[in-house]
Amino acid sequence: MGQIISIDYGKARCGVAATDDMKIIASGLDTVETRFLIDFLKKYVVENSVEAMVVGLPIDLKGNISEVETDILKFIENFKKEFPQIEVHRLDERFTSKMASFFISQSGKSKKQRQQKGLIDKVSATIILQNFLEQRTR
């Protein structure tokens, strides 16, 4: 059995989350500069058993795909070349950043900590992954 990882992809940085090996709990791993994401994942996949990846699908409230989708598709293409054995899934990521901000605000973190965009990205990746896990069990 392997883990599932998730990516909240952004032009500057990406939030990364992973499940435990039993695929029960989603936990934030890190926030990585986008230009180093493939290198981060290469190292992570070597050290951990990963069977699937979920990447957020950036859809706005009107149902339109965000401009960053072009970059995401290039990333996925590169990822599949590096890791052909790992399944790639997509999941609507609407509201994940807002939910992440809310959860962080409720966590007791200081205002300065709550405003760290990297933390929001990591929590967003965790929400994407948790939503994916919940959809799989339905």
Side-chain angles (χ1 to χ4, degrees), residues 1-3 19-25 133:
M1 288 181 97
Q3 298 177 358
T19 64
D20 58 306
D21 288 337
M22 294 181 68
K23 295 183 257 335
I24 297 171
I25 299 170
L133 292 173

Side-chain angles (χ1 to χ4, degrees), residues 13-108:
R13 71 190 162 277
C14 301
V16 183
T19 64
D20 58 306
D21 288 337
M22 294 181 68
K23 295 183 257 335
I24 297 171
I25 299 170
S27 301
L29 284 179
D30 208 343
T31 302
V32 180
E33 286 184 50
T34 301
R35 61 190 172 126
F36 299 126
L37 183 58
I38 288 287
D39 292 333
F40 174 87
L41 293 172
K42 283 180 187 177
K43 185 175 189 286
Y44 190 82
V45 168
V46 165
E47 296 171 355
N48 300 275
S49 174
V50 176
E51 70 180 48
M53 177 177 71
V54 182
V55 182
L57 182 62
I59 302 172
D60 68 18
L61 295 176
K62 294 180 182 177
N64 300 315
I65 302 286
S66 170
E67 289 178 21
V68 76
E69 178 66 7
T70 304
D71 295 330
I72 294 171
L73 292 174
K74 288 178 191 170
F75 161 71
I76 291 172
E77 185 179 319
N78 291 335
F79 181 87
K80 285 181 176 180
K81 286 178 187 172
E82 287 289 334
F83 311 103
Q85 75 284 8
I86 298 176
E87 287 182 68
V88 177
H89 303 274
R90 302 298 303 277
L91 188 75
D92 184 345
E93 66 174 37
R94 273 181 278 197
F95 305 114
T96 56
S97 292
K98 290 202 183 305
M99 288 169 43
S101 294
F102 173 76
F103 291 141
I104 292 166
S105 73
Q106 299 299 305
S107 71

